[in-house]
Amino acid sequence: MLNVGHHYRVAGGSDRYMLVLEALLEERGHEVIPFAAAHPDNQPTPWARFFPTGVDPEGRRPSDFARFFYSREAAQALASLLKEARPDLAHLHIYYGHLTTSILAEFRKAGVPVVQTLHDYKLACPVYSFLSNGTPCEACGGHQFWKALPRRCNRGSLARTVASVAEAYIARATGDLRHIDHFITVCDFQRSKLLSYGLGTGKMSTVHNFVDAAAFTPGTAPGDYALYFGRLEALKGVHTLIEAAARVPELPLLVVGDGKERAALEARVAELGADHIRFLGFQRGARLHDLIRESRVCLQPSECYELCPMSTLEAMAFARPLIGSDIGGIPELVAEGQTGLLVPPGDTDALSAAIRWMAAHPGEAQRMGRAGRARAEREFGPDRHYARLREVYAGLL
């Protein structure tokens, strides 16, 4: 099988999934061949000789701008790889940007069926997120990408938005729908949203992300703090979180992560005099795992259409309850009253009340955490994930 993405290293969530998928399939006896853009930090592979030069979206030359829409080099490199490797199937992830839709016709020419895991909303939104300047937006209606222009949806920049809109139309014309044999969405919300716009009808299935709970030692103590770990961006609901947590001094909040909102958040905490809220910056590995395992509750206060956050699955694997926003795919992971609590996105009062409840009910919080881990093992484990993928693959082969 060919495993295709724009990076062969972890530079984002889709890259991480691409690599763990490779490991999952190889453990079960499949030969997996990667195809990605060349980069010095890529993982070593004998197939790197086929990797084309990646597209620089910030490039200044006219050729950089043209290759953002269509990379002939990527198409030629893939054609050579397909001729030598002769894979039975191609599984795509985020390939646009660096490889572009130029590669799609090559699969068709070689008779290789293609499945794509959708890690964003690109099929329906030119900026991939259903967000316009930090606010949920579906103005383009899944097809009328030009409506992003007056809103300047790409970071408030007209030039960037023009490029995004042009790329969306070119991708549609060059086969981002018709050259894909089956789409995998990572949550039911994503699937229903795309289908509501008539995208992928008849060839779209949900396969949630997975977590190997056996690799995580669950927490056993009640924990004495709430934990947020993730990017510090407005769309993640972190401003609402600070306002809500400031009202609950009996349960300290630890904030793990970094981002453009950090300075503003720290200034607001100082203004509120909320000494029980602490910022720990970016953490990873064993230190992050210890912070999750020893917490009372983990928080997912997003105000955007989240898909299937790995942070939520990992908190479940550590047997920690969750407080999550009732938006996007989060309600598919957090079972209200069973593995955590759901609150309306952006609702400071509701989020504050949920944190206060966790502070007052340590025993119930532990029970929810144990139920969450059991659910992660039962519904979001690697064996179930593999079985669902095999169903999709079998339908194409």
Side-chain angles (χ1 to χ4, degrees):
M1 188 194 84
L2 206 62
N3 199 22
V4 181
H6 56 175
H7 300 131
Y8 195 53
R9 66 190 191 283
V10 178
S14 69
D15 311 315
R16 181 181 177 189
Y17 176 78
M18 177 180 168
L19 293 172
V20 298
L21 174 63
E22 177 181 305
L24 179 71
L25 294 174
E26 288 183 337
E27 286 170 3
R28 286 156 174 79
H30 301 275
E31 181 184 6
V32 181
I33 298 169
F35 181 69
H39 193 278
D41 295 334
N42 278 345
Q43 292 197 7
T45 171
W47 300 100
R49 67 186 188 277
F50 292 101
F51 289 8
T53 305
V55 174
D56 180 8
E58 306 295 335
R60 303 292 183 181
R61 298 172 302 176
S63 59
D64 293 325
F65 187 71
R67 291 176 66 249
F68 172 70
F69 300 110
Y70 194 90
S71 171
R72 186 170 298 279
E73 180 189 349
Q76 292 171 341
L78 177 61
S80 298
L81 174 58
L82 292 173
K83 185 176 180 180
E84 178 168 326
R86 300 186 180 280
D88 297 321
L89 177 77
H91 192 144
L92 276 58
H93 305 281
I94 294 180
Y95 63 88
Y96 31 88
H98 284 288
L99 302 177
T100 77
T101 51
S102 66
I103 67 173
L104 299 182
E106 299 304 323
F107 293 115
R108 189 67 65 197
K109 292 175 186 175
V112 177
V114 179
V115 60
Q116 182 188 356
T117 293
L118 300 173
H119 298 278
D120 52 34
Y121 295 101
K122 183 185 185 300
L123 288 183
C125 173
V127 294
Y128 310 176
S129 61
F130 278 138
L131 284 171
S132 177
N133 300 305
T135 303
C137 172
E138 299 180 40
C140 292
H143 301 277
Q144 298 172 304
F145 303 130
W146 62 268
K147 290 187 177 181
L149 295 173
R151 293 170 172 80
R152 303 190 179 202
C153 294
N154 191 337
R155 290 180 271 181
S157 165
L158 179 59
R160 291 181 183 275
T161 305
V162 167
S164 295
V165 169
E167 191 273 340
Y169 280 118
I170 291 172
R172 188 57 39 87
T174 50
D176 68 346
L177 275 176
R178 72 178 185 277
H179 286 326
I180 306 295
D181 297 293
H182 199 88
F183 292 104
I184 293 175
T185 54
V186 297
C187 66
D188 290 326
F189 175 88
Q190 181 190 29
R191 179 174 180 270
S192 64
K193 185 64 68 178
L194 295 175
L195 289 177
S196 72
Y197 293 121
L199 299 167
T201 303
K203 57 177 186 178
M204 187 173 286
S205 306
T206 296
V207 181
H208 289 87
N209 291 331
F210 73 96
V211 63
D212 185 1
F216 297 83
T217 303
T220 55
D224 56 5
Y225 57 84
L227 178 69
Y228 170 85
F229 61 104
R231 300 198 313 274
L232 301 186
E233 297 183 17
L235 59 89
K236 294 295 184 180
V238 286
H239 289 284
T240 301
L241 172 60
I242 293 303
E243 298 297 326
R247 304 178 187 178
V248 193
E250 60 268 34
L251 187 65
L253 170 67
L254 301 186
V255 179
V256 172
D258 215 335
K260 61 184 180 182
E261 296 299 313
R262 180 172 177 177
L265 294 169
E266 289 180 327
R268 181 56 177 159
V269 167
E271 183 180 303
L272 293 168
D275 296 336
H276 61 288
I277 300 177
R278 293 168 50 207
F279 292 83
L280 303 184
F282 179 76
Q283 304 288 333
R284 65 189 305 174
R287 174 56 176 156
L288 176 59
H289 288 182
D290 288 343
L291 287 167
I292 300 171
R293 185 183 299 111
E294 296 166 9
S295 67
R296 171 74 56 86
V297 60
C298 293
L299 298 144
Q300 186 84 54
S302 292
E303 296 172 13
C304 61
Y305 292 160
E306 290 282 6
L307 296 174
C308 185
M310 286 304 302
S311 57
T312 303
L313 291 175
E314 289 172 356
M316 294 168 66
F318 278 114
R320 298 297 86 184
L322 286 135
I323 298 173
S325 293
D326 190 6
I327 191 172
I330 295 175
E332 298 172 37
L333 306 181
V334 181
E336 168 64 29
Q338 300 175 39
T339 66
L341 302 174
L342 291 169
V343 298
D347 190 328
T348 303
D349 292 339
L351 182 54
S352 177
I355 297 172
R356 187 172 292 110
W357 189 93
M358 290 289 180
H361 298 85
E364 283 295 291
Q366 280 189 287
R367 180 193 64 76
M368 287 181 172
R370 290 192 295 270
R373 179 175 169 97
R375 189 174 184 219
E377 294 171 335
R378 184 177 64 252
E379 300 181 30
F380 303 111
D383 289 340
R384 184 179 178 88
H385 188 82
Y386 175 68
R388 290 287 293 113
L389 286 178
R390 284 296 302 270
E391 292 176 7
V392 173
Y393 294 166
L396 298 179
L397 297 173

